[in-house]
Amino acid sequence: MTLLVILLIFTFNIHNIRTAPPPLTSYDDQVNALLNQMTDEEKVGQMTQITINLILKDPSKPPPEIEVDPAKLAIAIKDYKVGSILNVAETGAYSLTQWHTIIGKIQDEARDTRLHIPVLYGIDSIHGANYIQNAVLFPQAIALAATFNTTLAHALGRIVAHQTRAAGIPWDFHPQVDVGRQKLWPRLWETYGEDVKVAKDMGRAYTEGMQGDDLTSRENVAACLKHYVGYGQPLSGRDRTPAWIDDRHMHEYFLPPFEEGVRAGAVSVMINPGEVNGIPGHANYHLLTKILKERYQFHGFTVSDWEEIKRLHFRDHTADTPKEAVRQAVMAGVDMSMVPFDYSFYNLTLECVKDGSIPRTRLDDAVRRILRVKYALGLFIGNNAWPDSSAINNFNKSEYEATNLQAARQVITLLKNNGNILPLNITRITETNKLLITGPTSNVLTSLNGGWSYTWQGNDESIYPKNLTDKTILESFRKRLGSAKIDYYNSSSFDQLFNIDNLLNAAQSASYILVCLGEKAYTETLGNINDLTLDNAQLQLVEQIRSRTQVPIIIVLVQGRPRIIRRIVDMSSAILTMYLPGMEGGQALVDVLFGDYNPSGRLPITYPKYNHHLSTYDYKWPEVDVGNYIDVEFEFGHGLSYTTFDYSNLNVPSTLNLNDQLIITLNVRNSGSRQGDHTVLLYISDLYRSITPPNKELKGYTKLSLQVGEQKSVQFTLDRNDLSFIGIDLTRQTEPGLFIVTVGNLRANFTLIGGDGPVDTTTRSTSINHQYSIFLINILLFLLVKLI
């Protein structure tokens, strides 16, 4: 019996360590059998994705009145054999019961087709299931990155998957793992910031949280890595405009998070809607086929972004006809077209297949990849393609809100705290000396959540559920202090200063002045800006308050990118950034400002001081030598606490052989007067190499929780891959020489002996791990049967 228990425990643990679903190629027997039965029309239909508008009676109706039109649905599914549908109509999110009705009708129609192939529905659940009413709205990606907490990212991925799949939707267009190194870019907040390692780690954790180890489970959804690749560094800073990224930098900075996501088991990839080096993402055979599918051995499918194949003709001018645009995209490696408003892709692809400009081998390859994912999701099994009616009963769980609040707390980053003005002394706030609150982000939910919140732009305050209107920053403080101790003045919009005489008079007797600044909700092209400097009206608001009083000003920034605030930094006693913290951002801010939670966020981006000095933390040595210098407002990784942390006993070996592990240890102690969470960041500097080295690179981080006086030992284990770089021949390699390790205020040197060899980055194969786990489980189960 003892042996039986041991074997059961061992089997359970083997199962739990597997973090990726079965390899997609394991479904190829079923896929090929189905593929052999399909006509060209049925195959092209599988490659066609349309938006929900095409099957609705009236997409302009309010969400509760949205209905599927049976005739339009039949045209889509039976006439055009459409294999995928996405999105909500422009009016916004649907209730869970509405989703059940919509998805149910779609799958009913698909079941009545000749081959009964289910439809794959996709949605942008990017910070929660944000197109499902009453779903939890979490911090956006840039905010989540500030936590440096991959365990949290994994947990959020699981919750998002549960609530998305509860609607009957098995496919989520997330995570965004393109590295965000252009601070003007209006989609910066959808990324995990400027660092490659953080993007890799957060993307993997989120993907594994979403997909679990069994995509057939109604708790999991298919992930979609986006936007492949180089979207995050447009030269102009404007959305969908050209990027210039040489091959070496592409392999060093932008491709690694996608490679990591593929290894984590991500089953789909969305394509960069911009262009790199003159080649549109949707026509880039080298990146889509040679790198993604062949080098990375990606067996899932690629999906275009919104209308992007058409744009090869009417915007990018690489195709002189719409038909040529389709041919270019499919032959480059696009497997599914987000058309989305018509059936032109279906018709034009069929023409290309019939005239031979798209070979049937390529057609079969694309459809095989799509069908693999449908089989992996279990959509062919029983009623798995239909919503589970019982999901309504456990859609929301109490722990989800608690997780969201904890996430929002960990997001908040304390940038300045002169004289330890924070946490606020609550006894100073009275009905005579009130807390004064003002600023355009102080009493809106849209700024806390940003884009992709109920609607695409997320800027419609009226669509937010009425039971959540008390979650703004202002209302969260009223709940804590009562209205009698708060003065609120709506004295400016985002870009216009109102009459502020009453505000200025009240400011003179206030205990503290909380000024909430930032950006209104936006995403994509509608978020383009001409100037990274925060709107002049908001800066003037602070300047005028300071001109009338010396009462401490606490600035709170609610924004998707680091808007320049140089004019008001010295006027403030404290500055905090919340990024886009989600629905619990208001309560989290209350908890931080009153000391109920000690802030622990750290900047995942470099916060600039000047409009044309937009450096990243891993700048090159020429940027600080021979008369040049780096001058930023707040450095990458900056983040203050209400306590202090001391580092000591940094231990680094003096020499290291090429194939040895680099083990680095140090002690971290909470030397202050409060418990606190703290992220330890480890940087490596390669002093000399054949490609000019950056001044430093983040190679490790860990989050600690320390009581007052508590000390913990921290260990980082690195290998040759962490000391490598992309060489001039585009291979990853190491070179011998002197390296510097930096952790906080501690530094140590070590010398690498050997090098100049290519680095094998395929250190982890989820497919092999999975097969090995299954092999062991089968053996153990056989033994158990024998024992019983």
Side-chain angles (χ1 to χ4, degrees):
M1 188 63 184
T2 302
L3 178 60
L4 178 63
V5 172
I6 291 172
L7 288 171
L8 283 171
I9 292 171
F10 185 59
T11 303
F12 176 78
N13 288 336
I14 285 290
H15 179 75
N16 276 351
I17 64 171
R18 176 162 52 86
T19 56
L24 290 174
T25 52
S26 65
Y27 300 99
D28 276 359
D29 287 347
Q30 297 156 282
V31 168
N32 289 332
L34 179 57
L35 197 59
N36 289 336
Q37 302 176 57
M38 296 174 70
T39 65
D40 288 345
E41 289 77 10
E42 287 166 332
K43 291 174 184 177
V44 173
Q46 288 301 303
M47 298 171 65
T48 302
Q49 184 184 60
I50 60 170
T51 186
I52 193 174
N53 295 47
L54 280 185
I55 64 167
L56 297 179
K57 289 183 178 179
D58 184 354
S60 66
K61 292 270 189 185
E65 300 175 32
I66 289 292
E67 291 182 87
V68 172
D69 186 318
K72 291 180 180 179
L73 180 61
I75 291 171
I77 304 300
K78 290 181 177 171
D79 293 354
Y80 289 99
K81 323 304 193 279
V82 164
S84 182
I85 303 176
L86 81 153
N87 213 23
V88 295
E90 288 74 11
T91 52
Y94 308 139
S95 69
L96 198 59
T97 54
Q98 277 182 290
W99 274 118
H100 283 203
T101 300
I102 291 167
I103 301 297
K105 288 182 177 180
I106 290 171
Q107 300 300 4
D108 286 346
E109 193 72 32
R111 182 175 50 192
D112 289 340
T113 59
R114 184 177 76 93
L115 294 176
H116 322 297
I117 302 175
V119 169
L120 178 59
Y121 207 101
I123 204 76
D124 287 278
S125 291
I126 73 164
H127 71 121
N130 40 262
Y131 280 148
I132 304 170
Q133 291 176 10
N134 298 314
V136 182
L137 295 187
F138 291 112
Q140 296 279 9
I142 193 68
L144 183 57
T147 70
F148 285 85
N149 188 341
T150 55
T151 302
L152 181 62
H154 187 279
L156 266 55
R158 290 188 64 181
I159 296 171
V160 170
H162 166 77
Q163 294 201 317
T164 302
R165 194 83 183 236
I169 300 173
W171 184 24
D172 179 5
F173 305 134
H174 202 57
Q176 161 71 284
V177 296
D178 210 11
V179 180
R181 295 172 72 86
Q182 166 54 279
K183 295 174 179 66
L184 284 158
W185 188 44
R187 304 192 77 167
L188 178 72
W189 54 265
E190 294 184 50
T191 76
Y192 296 114
E194 70 186 44
D195 179 66
V196 179
K197 178 173 175 54
V198 175
K200 286 172 59 177
D201 294 350
M202 286 288 184
R204 172 182 272 277
Y206 210 99
T207 296
E208 291 177 341
M210 289 167 59
Q211 294 196 158
D213 59 8
D214 179 11
L215 279 172
T216 67
S217 167
R218 293 184 184 271
E219 295 296 317
N220 300 324
V221 296
C224 185
L225 308 175
K226 62 184 189 184
H227 297 81
Y228 182 84
V229 59
Y231 187 28
Q233 196 169 6
L235 188 64
S236 70
R238 291 177 169 264
D239 188 44
R240 288 174 163 83
T241 56
W244 299 97
I245 306 170
D246 68 86
D247 286 347
R248 204 194 69 78
H249 280 83
M250 180 65 80
H251 284 271
E252 187 80 76
Y253 295 99
F254 298 95
L255 282 167
F258 288 95
E259 183 180 8
E260 188 78 6
V262 169
R263 288 193 194 153
V267 298
S268 67
V269 170
M270 187 179 292
I271 300 164
N272 172 11
E275 68 168 68
V276 177
N277 301 338
I279 305 174
H282 289 73
N284 199 319
Y285 175 80
H286 174 72
L287 288 174
L288 291 176
T289 299
K290 300 303 291 184
I291 300 296
L292 178 64
K293 294 182 177 180
E294 295 180 7
R295 182 181 298 185
Y296 295 164
Q297 291 294 290
F298 173 65
H299 298 300
F301 70 89
T302 61
V303 60
S304 82
D305 205 339
W306 189 270
E307 205 177 46
E308 289 300 328
I309 291 180
K310 290 183 176 184
R311 291 173 183 172
L312 294 176
H313 169 60
F314 71 76
R315 180 194 66 192
D316 300 321
H317 296 258
T318 62
D320 57 1
T321 65
K323 179 181 175 182
E324 171 59 15
V326 167
R327 188 203 67 79
Q328 280 185 13
V330 173
M331 294 309 295
V334 181
D335 300 315
M336 180 184 287
S337 172
M338 191 182 291
V339 189
F341 284 113
D342 56 44
Y343 301 100
S344 58
F345 174 83
Y346 176 91
N347 293 322
L348 294 172
T349 304
L350 272 179
E351 288 182 27
C352 290
V353 172
K354 288 175 181 176
D355 67 21
S357 56
I358 294 178
R360 283 186 171 83
T361 53
R362 172 67 190 109
L363 184 70
D364 286 354
D365 173 62
V367 178
R368 181 178 294 109
R369 291 169 176 275
I370 294 165
L371 291 178
R372 281 171 180 162
V373 175
K374 290 189 176 185
Y375 272 103
L377 285 164
L379 301 186
F380 290 90
I381 301 171
N383 291 320
N384 271 11
W386 282 260
D388 179 3
S389 59
S390 68
I392 294 174
N393 300 325
N394 68 343
F395 178 69
N396 272 312
K397 301 177 182 179
S398 58
E399 59 264 31
Y400 290 178
E401 293 296 339
T403 300
N404 196 15
L405 177 58
Q406 186 63 14
R409 287 167 170 169
Q410 289 191 34
V411 158
I412 295 175
T413 306
L414 180 59
L415 301 176
K416 179 180 178 181
N417 192 19
N418 270 12
N420 293 321
I421 192 72
L422 299 180
L424 300 176
N425 183 348
I426 198 168
T427 63
R428 287 185 55 185
I429 303 172
T430 65
E431 294 184 12
T432 302
N433 302 109
K434 300 183 180 185
L435 172 64
L436 191 154
I437 299 177
T438 190
T441 62
S442 59
N443 198 30
V444 291
L445 292 172
T446 49
S447 290
L448 292 177
N449 288 288
W452 305 104
S453 299
Y454 301 124
T455 61
W456 171 44
Q457 289 295 308
N459 56 4
D460 185 355
E461 193 81 15
S462 67
I463 202 171
Y464 278 77
K466 300 306 178 188
N467 63 317
L468 299 179
T469 55
D470 64 347
K471 286 184 174 289
T472 66
I473 291 173
L474 171 64
E475 294 303 326
S476 296
F477 275 94
R478 281 177 172 163
K479 280 188 287 186
R480 176 63 181 267
L481 295 174
S483 297
K485 294 183 179 180
I486 291 176
D487 265 341
Y488 169 65
Y489 292 91
N490 182 19
S491 299
S492 77
S493 63
F494 291 93
D495 58 3
Q496 182 179 358
L497 195 63
F498 306 148
N499 186 326
I500 63 170
D501 289 343
N502 291 336
L503 166 69
L504 296 179
N505 289 334
Q508 297 179 62
S509 60
S511 55
Y512 304 99
I513 303 170
L514 187 65
V515 187
C516 303
L517 308 177
E519 297 183 303
K520 58 185 177 182
Y522 62 86
T523 189
E524 300 191 47
T525 305
L526 296 181
N528 286 341
I529 54 176
N530 298 320
D531 191 335
L532 195 58
T533 305
L534 190 65
D535 298 286
N536 190 53
Q538 297 185 59
L539 300 176
Q540 286 183 330
L541 177 64
V542 176
E543 289 169 335
Q544 293 207 28
I545 292 171
R546 176 50 71 228
S547 71
R548 292 285 291 270
T549 181
Q550 291 304 305
V551 170
I553 296 174
I554 293 93
I555 293 174
V556 175
L557 300 170
V558 187
Q559 56 190 14
R561 47 198 158 189
R563 303 300 294 269
I564 293 171
I565 54 170
R566 183 167 58 97
R567 280 166 46 187
I568 59 174
V569 169
D570 291 341
M571 298 178 182
S572 65
S573 297
I575 303 174
L576 305 95
T577 183
M578 300 173 71
Y579 316 92
L580 303 174
M583 198 65 81
E584 293 297 325
Q587 182 59 52
L589 181 64
V590 171
D591 294 343
V592 167
L593 288 187
F594 287 118
D596 301 326
Y597 182 82
N598 193 346
S600 63
R602 305 194 85 168
L603 284 173
I605 47 175
T606 304
Y607 203 116
K609 183 184 289 187
Y610 305 103
N611 227 341
H612 300 290
H613 193 165
L614 305 181
S615 179
T616 54
Y617 85 93
D618 49 353
Y619 56 82
K620 297 296 191 75
W621 293 113
E623 296 180 70
V624 292
D625 285 341
V626 196
N628 290 320
Y629 63 95
I630 296 291
D631 186 11
V632 300
E633 200 68 73
F634 304 106
E635 294 183 349
F636 173 94
H638 176 68
L640 304 175
S641 172
Y642 296 154
T643 190
T644 53
F645 299 95
D646 293 340
Y647 295 4
S648 63
N649 297 331
L650 178 62
N651 187 2
V652 180
S654 59
T655 59
L656 183 74
N657 290 317
L658 181 63
N659 293 315
D660 290 344
Q661 288 186 325
L662 174 61
I663 297 177
I664 299 167
T665 61
L666 71 149
N667 294 331
V668 180
R669 179 175 176 270
N670 182 346
S671 57
S673 58
R674 289 174 178 264
Q675 180 277 338
D677 296 341
H678 179 65
T679 300
V680 182
L681 304 175
L682 179 142
Y683 299 95
I684 298 285
S685 301
D686 184 356
L687 290 190
Y688 298 94
R689 67 187 189 197
S690 55
I691 297 292
T692 57
N695 77 98
K696 63 181 178 181
E697 295 173 285
L698 183 69
K699 294 299 182 181
Y701 55 87
T702 187
K703 191 148 195 164
L704 305 176
S705 182
L706 294 171
Q707 299 298 322
V708 175
E710 183 180 7
Q711 178 173 289
K712 288 184 179 179
S713 178
V714 176
Q715 177 175 306
F716 295 98
T717 302
L718 309 182
D719 58 27
R720 63 181 297 191
N721 187 54
D722 296 303
L723 306 178
S724 67
F725 62 95
I726 299 297
I728 196 168
D729 62 354
L730 302 185
T731 64
R732 185 162 289 280
Q733 55 198 249
T734 58
E735 290 178 354
L738 185 64
F739 291 76
I740 296 177
V741 175
T742 303
V743 189
N745 60 339
L746 303 180
R747 289 161 61 94
N749 302 340
F750 71 92
T751 300
L752 178 65
I753 300 171
D756 258 341
V759 176
D760 180 12
T761 59
T762 57
T763 56
R764 180 179 183 188
S765 170
T766 53
S767 297
I768 292 174
N769 285 344
H770 172 75
Q771 292 166 347
Y772 181 65
S773 299
I774 293 297
F775 173 73
L776 286 177
I777 289 169
N778 287 335
I779 290 177
L780 292 169
L781 289 175
F782 173 79
L783 292 173
L784 286 173
V785 170
K786 289 291 186 182
L787 285 169
I788 292 170

